[in-house]
Amino acid sequence: MFGSIHAHIKPEYVIKSHEECRSWKMNPILIPTFVQLTNMEMYRKKVQYADILNIVNEGIGELAHSLKDTVPVLFAVCDNEACILQIDGDSSMQQVMDSIGLKKGVKFTSCDTGTNVVNLALEYGTSIKLIGDDHYHHILHTAACYGVPIRYLSTQKVLGVICVMTDVGMDNPFLLPLLEATISSIEREIMLLDRNNQLNLFNAVLMESNQNGILITDPNGEIQQMNKAFLSFLNDIQFELATSNSFDFPKIGFYFQDVITHGHPHTNVSFIVTHNKIDRHIIAEFYPVFDQQYQLIAAVGQFREMQKT
């Protein structure tokens, strides 16, 4: 299939997996089997993972470019149910994998597919490599495979596994660390995407459903959004919006700076603004917004006029 087989000391997870394969009376001479997803199942998964796949593709593309002309590799991206969402790389290797049924839209299961990096990476939650006869099926003895789980950094929930396959003769101790480094970068990009999505949803709900003045900043105090009620408030304090940083605002800049610097909310802050000789009593609240890792992603100021009794 590929190159020559080489032997090495087998990891414990390989020994255990081979024992399970034998207990299932799996024939190693036969070609491993995969569960085929329906078109609708595959469509739903592609929609669910669309944003993540965009980030993954960019990261894998950079890794593939760095390996170009040195190591022929095949990349597979699997979800947390061990389904291949996409597969790409060396065309000759891809043709061989297609011929045994390893292609986009199939699912790995240990009891059907035998010893494989996808199920093992999901089971153990760590990086896995299978070299040569670490695979249970003989047809894969000339392949070297590496699989690394990919997670949401905020929750450590496993999203799936990214795998690399190459010829066993091209096994290289640097391939797995390279893949791990790539996935670390991908995970950070996914975390940023998740934060932005959370913040955009938060902003949309706050801005559309609130009649009070609202000002939202980033973690540096830079203005991100404000509503019409807050613009009216700016007119009342006779402040021209010549700055993009909330720290520069009179009367309220100190509170934004304290929220961002120390994470301290301020409630029931009262002050008077005078416009056209008319005093308006303003009640304000300032509070930080954190993501699931308790990292500051925004600061919010909310302003309302105290009703006269």
Side-chain angles (χ1 to χ4, degrees), residues 148-164:
V148 180
I150 183 168
R151 291 179 169 85
Y152 278 124
L153 291 179
S154 57
T155 62
Q156 290 300 300
K157 177 185 175 183
V158 174
L159 288 167
V161 178
I162 298 180
C163 312
V164 173

mmCIF file of all heavy atoms in Angstrom, residues 148-164:
data_model
loop_
_atom_site.group_PDB
_atom_site.id
_atom_site.type_symbol
_atom_site.label_atom_id
_atom_site.label_comp_id
_atom_site.label_asym_id
_atom_site.label_seq_id
_atom_site.Cartn_x
_atom_site.Cartn_y
_atom_site.Cartn_z
ATOM 1 N N VAL A 148 -5.173 14.356 16.952
ATOM 2 C CA VAL A 148 -5.147 15.267 18.100
ATOM 3 C C VAL A 148 -6.555 15.823 18.315
ATOM 4 O O VAL A 148 -7.162 16.339 17.371
ATOM 5 C CB VAL A 148 -4.157 16.429 17.870
ATOM 6 C CG1 VAL A 148 -4.151 17.369 19.075
ATOM 7 C CG2 VAL A 148 -2.756 15.901 17.605
ATOM 8 N N PRO A 149 -7.087 15.716 19.540
ATOM 9 C CA PRO A 149 -8.407 16.305 19.805
ATOM 10 C C PRO A 149 -8.358 17.822 19.682
ATOM 11 O O PRO A 149 -7.339 18.450 19.972
ATOM 12 C CB PRO A 149 -8.701 15.890 21.262
ATOM 13 C CG PRO A 149 -7.718 14.823 21.598
ATOM 14 C CD PRO A 149 -6.517 15.076 20.734
ATOM 15 N N ILE A 150 -9.462 18.390 19.274
ATOM 16 C CA ILE A 150 -9.594 19.843 19.211
ATOM 17 C C ILE A 150 -10.734 20.233 20.145
ATOM 18 O O ILE A 150 -11.787 19.588 20.151
ATOM 19 C CB ILE A 150 -9.825 20.321 17.763
ATOM 20 C CG1 ILE A 150 -9.881 21.842 17.702
ATOM 21 C CG2 ILE A 150 -11.055 19.702 17.141
ATOM 22 C CD1 ILE A 150 -9.806 22.387 16.289
ATOM 23 N N ARG A 151 -10.514 21.285 20.955
ATOM 24 C CA ARG A 151 -11.448 21.614 22.030
ATOM 25 C C ARG A 151 -11.874 23.079 21.988
ATOM 26 O O ARG A 151 -11.183 23.929 21.450
ATOM 27 C CB ARG A 151 -10.786 21.379 23.402
ATOM 28 C CG ARG A 151 -10.510 19.937 23.755
ATOM 29 C CD ARG A 151 -9.837 19.864 25.124
ATOM 30 N NE ARG A 151 -9.782 18.514 25.640
ATOM 31 C CZ ARG A 151 -8.849 17.639 25.352
ATOM 32 N NH1 ARG A 151 -7.863 17.989 24.527
ATOM 33 N NH2 ARG A 151 -8.877 16.421 25.858
ATOM 34 N N TYR A 152 -13.035 23.338 22.639
ATOM 35 C CA TYR A 152 -13.367 24.694 23.049
ATOM 36 C C TYR A 152 -12.502 25.006 24.257
ATOM 37 O O TYR A 152 -12.596 24.318 25.280
ATOM 38 C CB TYR A 152 -14.835 24.805 23.463
ATOM 39 C CG TYR A 152 -15.818 24.981 22.336
ATOM 40 C CD1 TYR A 152 -16.872 24.091 22.181
ATOM 41 C CD2 TYR A 152 -15.722 26.055 21.459
ATOM 42 C CE1 TYR A 152 -17.798 24.255 21.162
ATOM 43 C CE2 TYR A 152 -16.641 26.229 20.437
ATOM 44 C CZ TYR A 152 -17.675 25.326 20.304
ATOM 45 O OH TYR A 152 -18.581 25.490 19.293
ATOM 46 N N LEU A 153 -11.651 26.007 24.175
ATOM 47 C CA LEU A 153 -10.782 26.332 25.298
ATOM 48 C C LEU A 153 -11.579 26.782 26.519
ATOM 49 O O LEU A 153 -11.161 26.559 27.652
ATOM 50 C CB LEU A 153 -9.782 27.425 24.902
ATOM 51 C CG LEU A 153 -8.704 26.999 23.894
ATOM 52 C CD1 LEU A 153 -7.803 28.194 23.569
ATOM 53 C CD2 LEU A 153 -7.868 25.845 24.435
ATOM 54 N N SER A 154 -12.723 27.418 26.295
ATOM 55 C CA SER A 154 -13.503 27.951 27.411
ATOM 56 C C SER A 154 -14.110 26.864 28.277
ATOM 57 O O SER A 154 -14.257 27.024 29.483
ATOM 58 C CB SER A 154 -14.606 28.875 26.892
ATOM 59 O OG SER A 154 -15.441 28.189 25.979
ATOM 60 N N THR A 155 -14.459 25.728 27.680
ATOM 61 C CA THR A 155 -15.120 24.656 28.432
ATOM 62 C C THR A 155 -14.343 23.350 28.426
ATOM 63 O O THR A 155 -14.690 22.425 29.155
ATOM 64 C CB THR A 155 -16.514 24.368 27.851
ATOM 65 O OG1 THR A 155 -16.376 23.912 26.488
ATOM 66 C CG2 THR A 155 -17.379 25.620 27.866
ATOM 67 N N GLN A 156 -13.313 23.272 27.578
ATOM 68 C CA GLN A 156 -12.539 22.041 27.367
ATOM 69 C C GLN A 156 -13.382 20.931 26.718
ATOM 70 O O GLN A 156 -12.973 19.768 26.684
ATOM 71 C CB GLN A 156 -11.920 21.533 28.671
ATOM 72 C CG GLN A 156 -10.788 22.411 29.185
ATOM 73 C CD GLN A 156 -9.636 22.511 28.181
ATOM 74 O OE1 GLN A 156 -9.031 21.511 27.825
ATOM 75 N NE2 GLN A 156 -9.341 23.725 27.745
ATOM 76 N N LYS A 157 -14.543 21.284 26.213
ATOM 77 C CA LYS A 157 -15.362 20.311 25.499
ATOM 78 C C LYS A 157 -14.689 19.943 24.180
ATOM 79 O O LYS A 157 -14.244 20.816 23.437
ATOM 80 C CB LYS A 157 -16.745 20.896 25.218
ATOM 81 C CG LYS A 157 -17.643 19.983 24.408
ATOM 82 C CD LYS A 157 -18.961 20.659 24.055
ATOM 83 C CE LYS A 157 -19.816 19.791 23.151
ATOM 84 N NZ LYS A 157 -21.070 20.461 22.754
ATOM 85 N N VAL A 158 -14.610 18.638 23.913
ATOM 86 C CA VAL A 158 -13.973 18.173 22.681
ATOM 87 C C VAL A 158 -14.914 18.392 21.498
ATOM 88 O O VAL A 158 -16.062 17.949 21.504
ATOM 89 C CB VAL A 158 -13.577 16.685 22.787
ATOM 90 C CG1 VAL A 158 -13.044 16.177 21.443
ATOM 91 C CG2 VAL A 158 -12.523 16.487 23.873
ATOM 92 N N LEU A 159 -14.408 19.094 20.489
ATOM 93 C CA LEU A 159 -15.179 19.351 19.273
ATOM 94 C C LEU A 159 -15.008 18.241 18.253
ATOM 95 O O LEU A 159 -15.891 17.975 17.448
ATOM 96 C CB LEU A 159 -14.706 20.661 18.635
ATOM 97 C CG LEU A 159 -15.070 21.955 19.337
ATOM 98 C CD1 LEU A 159 -14.258 23.099 18.764
ATOM 99 C CD2 LEU A 159 -16.549 22.223 19.164
ATOM 100 N N GLY A 160 -13.831 17.618 18.255
ATOM 101 C CA GLY A 160 -13.544 16.584 17.268
ATOM 102 C C GLY A 160 -12.070 16.228 17.293
ATOM 103 O O GLY A 160 -11.370 16.459 18.286
ATOM 104 N N VAL A 161 -11.610 15.671 16.197
ATOM 105 C CA VAL A 161 -10.221 15.232 16.078
ATOM 106 C C VAL A 161 -9.709 15.620 14.691
ATOM 107 O O VAL A 161 -10.419 15.461 13.694
ATOM 108 C CB VAL A 161 -10.090 13.701 16.253
ATOM 109 C CG1 VAL A 161 -8.641 13.253 16.068
ATOM 110 C CG2 VAL A 161 -10.600 13.273 17.618
ATOM 111 N N ILE A 162 -8.490 16.141 14.647
ATOM 112 C CA ILE A 162 -7.828 16.378 13.372
ATOM 113 C C ILE A 162 -6.725 15.340 13.222
ATOM 114 O O ILE A 162 -5.930 15.126 14.143
ATOM 115 C CB ILE A 162 -7.250 17.796 13.291
ATOM 116 C CG1 ILE A 162 -8.389 18.818 13.384
ATOM 117 C CG2 ILE A 162 -6.475 17.991 11.993
ATOM 118 C CD1 ILE A 162 -7.934 20.262 13.320
ATOM 119 N N CYS A 163 -6.705 14.680 12.081
ATOM 120 C CA CYS A 163 -5.782 13.566 11.858
ATOM 121 C C CYS A 163 -4.860 13.836 10.675
ATOM 122 O O CYS A 163 -5.234 14.534 9.729
ATOM 123 C CB CYS A 163 -6.558 12.274 11.558
ATOM 124 S SG CYS A 163 -7.883 11.937 12.702
ATOM 125 N N VAL A 164 -3.684 13.253 10.759
ATOM 126 C CA VAL A 164 -2.729 13.272 9.657
ATOM 127 C C VAL A 164 -2.293 11.841 9.386
ATOM 128 O O VAL A 164 -1.987 11.088 10.318
ATOM 129 C CB VAL A 164 -1.498 14.140 9.980
ATOM 130 C CG1 VAL A 164 -0.446 14.001 8.880
ATOM 131 C CG2 VAL A 164 -1.892 15.598 10.145
#
